[in-house]
C-alpha cells in the first residue's frame, strides 16, 4: 500500500479531522488494511492570513517546502495538504519534491462540475484570502463554472469565525456565521456550495438547509484512499 505524507498543522484540529476521515473511509478488517500516513503536524507554519490579507507575516512557502522534503525523506510517495488557503503555495511544494501532489482545489473543482454542470455557479465558503488570490477562479473557469463569494461584510464575518474556531474550537457563534453566509449565497443563486476552509470542515453541518454543500476535505480524503490502494468503504463506518 502506498504511503501518503500530510502537510499538517493548518490548523492542528483540521489535520486530526482529515486523519479521522481517512480512517473512516477505508473498508478494513485489520490494522494493515488502513492507509499508511506520515503527518508533519506543524502549527508554526507562518499565518496564511497575515501573509495574504494583512501583508505583515512571513512567507509560508519555504516552510511548506521544507515540510514536503521531510515527508519525502520519511518515505512518502505522495503529499497532501488539508488547508485550502495554503494551496496558494503549491508551486513551492511541487518544486521541492518530485512526488505527486494531491491537489484539493482541482479535486473539488471536478466535484463541483459533476454536481452543477457547465454554466453553473458555486458558492465559496472560505477565508477571504481564497478570494483575494483567486484560488478557485482558474480551476472553476476551466470547467465552465462561476465562483460566487460572500460580499465584503460577510467575508469579514467569515474571517472572524475562522479565528474563533482556531482559538476556541467549533462553537455556536462560528456555526451561526457559517449558516447565515451559506443562506446569503443561496439567495444569490449559488445553491451548490463548497466548504473551502478546513476550520469550517469542523462545523460542516452548519450550513443553510436550502443549499447543497460538499467539503473540499472529503474530496481530498477520497483521493488519499484511492492513491494508497486501500479498499474504500461503501458507506459510513459504524463507530458504535
Amino acid at each position: 500500500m502506498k504511503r501518503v505524507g500530510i502537510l499538517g498543522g493548518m490548523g492542528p484540529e483540521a489535520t486530526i479531522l482529515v486523519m479521522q476521515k481517512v480512517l473512516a473511509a477505508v473498508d478494513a478488517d485489520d490494522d494493515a488494511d488502513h492507509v499508511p500516513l506520515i503527518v508533519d503536524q506543524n502549527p508554526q507554519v507562518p499565518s496564511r492570513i497575515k501573509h495574504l490579507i494583512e501583508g505583515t507575516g512571513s512567507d509560508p512557502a519555504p516552510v511548506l517546502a521544507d515540510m514536503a522534503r521531510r515527508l519525502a525523506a520519511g518515505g512518502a510517495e505522495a503529499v497532501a495538504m488539508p488547508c485550502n488557503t495554503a494551496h496558494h503555495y503549491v508551486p513551492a511544494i511541487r518544486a521541492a519534491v518530485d512526488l505527486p501532489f494531491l491537489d484539493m482545489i482541482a479535486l473539488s473543482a471536478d466535484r463541483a462540475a459533476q454536481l452543477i454542470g457547465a454554466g453553473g455557479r458555486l458558492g465559496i465558503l472560505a477565508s477571504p484570502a481564497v478570494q483575494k488570490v483567486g484560488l478557485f477562479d482558474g480551476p472553476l473557469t476551466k470547467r465552465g463554472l462561476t465562483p460566487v463569494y460572500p460580499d465584503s461584510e460577510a467575508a469579514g464575518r467569515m474571517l472572524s469565525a475562522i479565528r474563533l474556531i482556531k482559538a476556541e474550537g467549533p462553537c455556536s457563534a462560528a456555526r451561526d456565521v457559517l449558516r447565515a453566509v451559506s443562506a446569503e449565497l443561496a439567495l444569490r443563486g449559488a445553491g451548490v456550495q463548497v466548504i473551502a476552509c478546513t476550520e469550517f470542515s469542523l462545523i460542516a453541518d452548519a450550513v443553510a438547509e436550502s443549499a447543497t454543500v460538499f467539503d473540499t476535505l472529503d474530496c481530498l480524503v477520497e483521493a488519499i484512499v484511492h492513491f494508497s490502494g486501500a479498499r474504500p468503504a461503501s458507506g459510513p463506518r459504524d463507530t458504535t
Side-chain angles (χ1 to χ4, degrees):
M1 202 176 293
K2 294 180 181 178
R3 188 177 293 110
V4 178
I6 304 293
L7 291 93
M10 305 168 279
E13 198 166 358
T15 303
I16 294 169
L17 177 61
V18 77
M19 295 170 68
Q20 292 172 329
K21 283 179 172 285
V22 168
L23 190 74
V26 171
D27 181 11
D29 298 319
D30 198 2
D31 293 349
D33 295 324
H34 283 287
V35 177
L37 298 174
I38 305 174
V39 181
D40 191 337
Q41 178 78 302
N42 184 8
Q44 279 71 50
V45 175
S47 169
R48 286 69 58 204
I49 290 172
K50 288 182 179 179
H51 187 244
L52 294 175
I53 297 179
E54 299 173 2
T56 59
S58 301
D59 184 356
V63 177
L64 294 171
D66 284 343
M67 291 169 67
R69 292 186 192 100
R70 288 198 295 268
L71 292 169
E77 296 167 84
V79 290
M81 184 164 57
C83 175
N84 291 269
T85 306
H87 276 65
H88 176 66
Y89 307 100
V90 165
I93 296 169
R94 292 189 188 275
V97 294
D98 187 21
L99 292 176
F101 181 82
L102 305 182
D103 189 329
M104 185 162 64
I105 306 306
L107 292 164
S108 300
D110 286 341
R111 180 66 54 82
Q114 293 169 0
L115 289 172
I116 306 172
R121 294 158 62 84
L122 179 69
I124 312 292
L125 298 166
S127 160
V130 165
Q131 180 178 6
K132 183 172 183 178
V133 301
L135 195 62
F136 279 88
D137 295 8
L140 291 177
T141 298
K142 288 179 182 178
R143 293 159 177 82
L145 302 175
T146 300
V148 181
Y149 294 97
D151 62 28
S152 58
E153 187 275 332
R157 286 187 280 137
M158 295 283 272
L159 184 56
S160 296
I162 291 168
R163 286 174 166 151
L164 191 59
I165 293 169
K166 286 182 179 293
E168 300 181 12
C171 58
S172 59
R175 289 175 179 274
D176 290 344
V177 170
L178 183 61
R179 187 176 294 106
V181 175
S182 174
E184 291 167 13
L185 290 177
L187 288 173
R188 290 169 54 198
V192 178
Q193 302 168 9
V194 59
I195 291 178
C197 172
T198 49
E199 265 69 51
F200 292 145
S201 297
L202 296 164
I203 55 170
D205 58 330
V207 292
E209 292 183 3
S210 59
T212 298
V213 182
F214 70 98
D215 192 337
T216 59
L217 201 60
D218 291 330
C219 297
L220 183 61
V221 166
E222 186 177 312
I224 290 171
V225 173
H226 177 76
F227 176 85
S228 74
R231 188 170 65 241
S234 57
R237 193 178 183 199
D238 185 0
T239 57
T240 59

